């Protein structure tokens, strides 16, 4: 074990442990490495957009394909459609990522 790693005791119930063990095995990781990966992902990119915008569902009518902007929570963002399709104004989209002022949208 590297000297820059910190050890600590973590108590979790058996059901959660079993789920983590299954997930770790499916990704060919140890349970420790799997939990470390989960924690790293959870602490990355704590921008306003990641905290408040990613995961929101928006209506296609909030997307303006003419000017390339989408309105989410009263703020205008540039956007990308995950599959590069054209905007369906009758559809619904989930915000799946936020990098700077650009949101990635996926039709649901």
């Amino acid at each position: 074990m590297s000297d820059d790693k910190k050890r600590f005791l973590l108590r979790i119930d058996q059901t959660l442990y079993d789920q983590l063990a299954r997930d770790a095995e499916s990704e060919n990781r140890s349970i420790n490495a799997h939990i470390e990966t989960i924690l790293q992902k959870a602490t990355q990119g704590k921008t306003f957009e990641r905290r408040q915008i990613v995961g929101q569902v928006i209506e296609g009518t909030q997307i303006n394909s003419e000017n390339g902007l989408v309105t989410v929570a009263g703020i205008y963002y540039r956007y990308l459609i995950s599959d590069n399709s054209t905007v369906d104004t009758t559809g619904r989209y989930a915000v799946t990522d936020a990098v700077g002022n650009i949101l990635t949208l996926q039709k649901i």
Side-chain angles (χ1 to χ4, degrees), residues 15 17 22 30 33 37 45 58 67-68 76-78 80 89 106:
T15 304
Y17 181 87
R22 284 190 298 272
S30 68
T37 300
I58 60 169
N67 65 13
Y76 289 95
Y77 294 94
R78 298 214 173 274
L80 301 169
T89 57
Q106 181 175 359

Side-chain angles (χ1 to χ4, degrees), residues 79-85 93-94 96 103-107:
Y79 68 88
L80 301 169
I81 305 294
S82 62
D83 64 359
N84 293 322
S85 63
Y93 293 82
T96 59
L103 303 180
T104 301
L105 309 177
Q106 181 175 359
K107 189 172 180 187

Side-chain angles (χ1 to χ4, degrees), residues 4-103:
D4 63 337
K5 299 257 182 169
K6 176 72 176 155
R7 289 178 156 227
F8 70 98
L9 178 63
L10 175 64
R11 292 187 180 105
I12 57 176
D13 69 26
Q14 188 65 47
T15 304
L16 178 57
Y17 181 87
D18 293 342
Q19 181 62 51
L20 288 167
R22 284 190 298 272
D23 293 347
E25 184 178 349
S26 74
E27 295 183 21
N28 294 320
R29 289 190 182 122
S30 68
I31 294 172
N32 187 76
H34 184 62
I35 291 171
E36 187 175 3
T37 300
I38 291 169
L39 292 172
Q40 285 172 342
K41 287 180 183 178
T43 58
Q44 288 177 346
K46 292 296 185 179
T47 64
F48 170 79
E49 285 76 16
R50 288 212 180 266
R51 289 189 320 268
Q52 301 293 324
I53 306 297
V54 172
Q56 283 198 27
V57 174
I58 60 169
E59 301 298 324
T61 55
Q62 293 173 258
I63 304 169
N64 186 329
S65 58
E66 290 180 23
N67 65 13
L69 298 175
V70 58
T71 307
V72 182
I75 303 170
Y76 289 95
Y77 294 94
R78 298 214 173 274
Y79 68 88
L80 301 169
I81 305 294
S82 62
D83 64 359
N84 293 322
S85 63
T86 57
V87 174
D88 176 2
T89 57
T90 63
R92 299 179 75 201
Y93 293 82
V95 179
T96 59
D97 197 13
V99 178
N101 70 337
I102 302 172
L103 303 180

